[in-house]
Amino acid sequence: MKISLPRFRFIFVLFLFFAVVLFSKQIVGAGYEEGVAAYKRGDYATALKEFRPLAERGNVAAQFYLGVTYERGQGVPQDYNEAGRWYRKAAEQGLAEAQYNVGVMYEKGLGVPQDYNEAGRWYRKAAEQGLVEPQLKLGGMYAKGQGVPQDYKEAVRWYRKAAEQGDAPAQHNLAELYYQGQGVAQDYKEAALWYRKAAEQGFAEAQINLGFMYANARGVPQDYIYAHMWFNLAGAAGDTESVKNRNIVEKRLTPAQIAKAQRLAREWRPKTIR
């Protein structure tokens, strides 16, 4: 069992598609809706033409958009320096998504020297506004002592914030801390609860761990049928150790019980939270 690594992921697509609604009160002058429409149909040159003047006048959504285009190389050569410049302009106006993206650039060393302290500073700004991705990132930084002093209680706090919003990796990592007793009192029942929430979304690492919990009566009653089911699902996702564990558990089941476990796996569907 181990902490799942946070994802490196820029935020851009959903933000851009809904930015007209989110920033309707901030947009001054024509061109923003036209820019969004052009972007959605892949006409990046027209989108840039509409967005750049707005960005230069301080429009936060347009600034964010220019960061995206330079980061992805859409309509312009890919340029992390320019991406970072526009993301920072939007971030300094308080846009959480831009603050998160600035944090990613510092963490990965894109357009700026890699700097975990700066990454953590920007992640915190975004996380405090309730954005899930930087909450997950901060939890990982505190768990590893990367850019911040190692502090499992803080890791628990930030993982919990993301987990309560339905983030499966955060749910898994919070479960790990309960399982290990790091930052919280060791509690197998609470660990099983959070593993289940992540496993039900299809997060394979949580499925593996929940199978282990059922096989070993950790936080849940021992149940080889459910252990088989969760190992089977994780195995189907490509985890070879889960296949081995499924086969070990299978030796403890009757043919009827195996059939039930297989039916449960066959009928299982992931829950969509976010």
Side-chain angles (χ1 to χ4, degrees), residues 6-257:
R7 301 154 296 191
F8 279 119
R9 183 176 71 183
F10 286 100
I11 297 176
F12 39 80
V13 177
L14 288 178
F15 173 86
L16 285 171
F17 288 1
F18 295 102
V20 172
V21 176
L22 292 173
F23 292 93
S24 59
K25 294 182 180 179
Q26 298 183 39
I27 294 171
V28 290
Y32 191 86
E33 292 188 24
E34 291 83 351
V36 170
Y39 182 89
K40 290 171 71 174
R41 66 176 181 266
D43 184 358
Y44 302 124
T46 298
L48 280 164
K49 181 181 177 182
E50 299 291 349
F51 274 94
R52 191 178 296 278
L54 291 171
E56 289 172 349
R57 291 199 297 270
N59 182 276
V60 65
Q63 289 171 345
F64 183 87
Y65 168 81
L66 286 184
V68 170
T69 59
Y70 280 107
E71 186 265 314
R72 301 189 76 183
Q74 294 175 321
V76 290
Q78 188 178 56
D79 187 331
Y80 290 124
N81 288 315
E82 276 296 290
R85 185 169 77 88
W86 287 108
Y87 281 147
R88 184 181 290 274
K89 285 179 180 292
E92 288 173 347
Q93 293 198 63
L95 180 63
E97 290 81 359
Q99 291 168 343
Y100 170 74
N101 284 3
V102 171
V104 171
M105 299 193 82
Y106 273 111
E107 186 174 1
K108 297 182 74 173
L110 298 175
V112 292
Q114 188 179 55
D115 188 328
Y116 294 137
N117 289 333
E118 275 297 289
R121 187 171 75 86
W122 285 104
Y123 286 150
R124 185 179 304 278
K125 289 177 181 289
E128 288 174 346
Q129 295 194 61
L131 201 62
V132 166
E133 286 81 1
Q135 291 173 346
L136 174 65
K137 288 282 193 177
L138 270 184
M141 295 182 90
Y142 276 110
K144 293 182 289 184
Q146 187 180 74
V148 294
Q150 189 175 54
D151 186 331
Y152 288 116
K153 287 185 178 180
E154 279 295 290
V156 167
R157 185 167 79 91
W158 288 108
Y159 281 147
R160 188 183 303 280
K161 286 180 181 292
E164 288 175 348
Q165 294 194 64
D167 186 79
Q171 291 168 343
H172 171 269
N173 290 355
L174 182 59
E176 287 289 294
L177 294 177
Y178 272 110
Y179 186 88
Q180 300 293 342
Q182 293 176 314
V184 288
Q186 189 177 56
D187 188 331
Y188 291 143
K189 286 186 178 180
E190 195 71 10
L193 181 151
W194 288 106
Y195 281 140
R196 184 183 306 280
K197 288 179 183 290
E200 288 176 346
Q201 293 190 66
F203 195 69
E205 290 178 60
Q207 293 175 338
I208 296 165
N209 291 342
L210 190 56
F212 173 87
M213 302 288 269
Y214 272 114
N216 293 279
R218 297 274 179 93
V220 291
Q222 191 171 57
D223 191 321
Y224 292 122
I225 291 174
Y226 279 104
H228 186 287
M229 167 197 160
W230 288 113
F231 285 141
N232 201 11
L233 289 168
D239 185 75
T240 56
E241 286 301 311
S242 291
V243 174
K244 294 177 183 177
N245 289 339
R246 182 200 65 199
N247 293 340
I248 291 169
V249 167
E250 192 166 291
K251 294 176 182 178
R252 298 176 179 267
L253 298 175
T254 66
Q257 289 172 323

